[in-house]
Amino acid sequence: MNELLKKALSLGVGVTLLTKEKIESAVDELVKKGELAPAESKELVRRLVEKGEAGQEEWKQLLREQLKSLLAELQIATKEDIEALSRRIEKLENPTS
């Protein structure tokens, strides 16, 4: 499951990079057509990329919430559950400690 999460997040990063390239290409085209001043192009790219990154963060948060809900629904033990059980076993095996 952890590997699936890593792949999903990597996909989101890849989409952001691809989107940045497309944004830069579209803005360059606007500059070539004279619809945008070259001095304004970098700022426009920066603003659009920032908006895309903000959207990506929202997407990541939504994905985390969905995965957390799914794991709870499937009743899969969390790291904290396993650590608590390990401590309990340690106490049972070594009652004098």
Side-chain angles (χ1 to χ4, degrees):
M1 206 47 107
N2 192 20
E3 191 62 33
L4 177 62
L5 177 60
K6 287 180 185 177
K7 287 181 180 179
L9 292 176
S10 293
L11 176 63
V13 171
V15 168
T16 299
L17 293 175
L18 180 61
T19 302
K20 181 180 179 186
E21 290 174 0
K22 287 188 177 187
I23 289 171
E24 288 173 340
S25 176
V27 169
D28 287 345
E29 193 63 35
L30 291 174
V31 170
K32 286 178 188 174
K33 290 180 180 179
E35 296 176 15
L36 183 67
E40 298 173 325
S41 66
K42 288 183 182 180
E43 178 62 21
L44 179 58
V45 168
R46 185 190 63 74
R47 285 195 330 250
L48 292 173
V49 168
E50 282 179 1
K51 285 184 180 182
E53 288 172 351
Q56 181 185 6
E57 286 303 315
E58 291 175 20
W59 180 81
K60 284 182 186 179
Q61 183 61 32
L62 178 63
L63 179 62
R64 284 185 193 106
E65 291 170 7
Q66 292 297 319
L67 284 173
K68 187 175 181 178
S69 174
L70 178 63
L71 292 174
E73 184 179 316
L74 295 173
Q75 298 180 346
I76 295 175
T78 65
K79 181 179 178 181
E80 291 80 18
D81 293 335
I82 294 168
E83 288 172 351
L85 287 173
S86 293
R87 287 190 300 273
R88 186 171 176 200
I89 290 169
E90 181 67 30
K91 286 180 182 179
L92 291 171
E93 288 178 344
N94 301 310
T96 58
S97 298

